[in-house]
Amino acid sequence: MSEGLSRPAAGHVPVLGLGDVLLVTLQGDLYDSTAHRLQQDLAEAIARSRVTGVVIDISGVEIVDSFLGRVLAEIAAQAELLAARTVVAGMRPAVAVTLVELGLALPGLRTALTTEAAMELLARPVVPPRSGGGREGGP
């Protein structure tokens, strides 16, 4: 994928390609139709460009409700199925508190304080989980 922005349109969230990572910056509220389109756009972009990571910058989001939490978790699940890791960057402390209060676990999502830290996290090699679930050298 060549580096650049996808064409913004009404109800559309731009996706920026940065090497083998896609960067999405959310600003303000994310409505149902926009969220659905973002999920589709990201899945298609991951499959088309074969990127290995997705960074979703939510520093411009004031409030994360259960809907947005579910959307982020679904994006991470879709990306993982397409062999890409997802990192959410820029979460405000109030947003983190709200997610905990709502009981949202956000499986499959990693977090980073900044977009730069998210890019560094994705640049690290993936360590495969050990099979068997036991400790090394255990019975």
Side-chain angles (χ1 to χ4, degrees), residues 34-51:
T34 307
H36 181 69
R37 183 169 179 175
L38 174 61
Q39 288 175 305
Q40 287 182 324
D41 289 350
L42 274 174
E44 290 171 8
I46 292 167
R48 182 178 57 251
S49 62
R50 300 182 186 203
V51 296

Side-chain angles (χ1 to χ4, degrees), residues 6 8 12-13 20 23 37 71 82 87 92 96 101 107 109 129 135:
S6 62
H12 179 76
V13 178
D20 60 353
L23 174 63
R37 183 169 179 175
V71 168
L82 294 168
V87 179
R92 297 169 187 246
E101 288 174 347
L109 278 178
R135 288 183 10 210

Side-chain angles (χ1 to χ4, degrees), residues 28-118:
D29 295 331
L30 188 66
Y31 299 102
D32 290 5
S33 60
T34 307
H36 181 69
R37 183 169 179 175
L38 174 61
Q39 288 175 305
Q40 287 182 324
D41 289 350
L42 274 174
E44 290 171 8
I46 292 167
R48 182 178 57 251
S49 62
R50 300 182 186 203
V51 296
T52 58
V54 176
V55 174
I56 303 173
D57 181 355
I58 63 168
S59 60
V61 176
E62 294 288 331
I63 299 171
V64 173
D65 58 7
S66 59
F67 171 72
L68 182 54
R70 189 182 82 243
V71 168
L72 293 173
E74 287 174 1
I75 287 171
Q78 289 173 343
E80 187 173 3
L81 288 172
L82 294 168
R85 298 180 290 160
T86 302
V87 179
V88 172
M91 186 178 300
R92 297 169 187 246
V95 169
V97 168
T98 301
L99 290 174
V100 170
E101 288 174 347
L102 290 173
L104 296 176
L106 303 182
L109 278 178
R110 293 160 194 82
T111 59
L113 293 176
T114 65
T115 301
E116 294 82 13

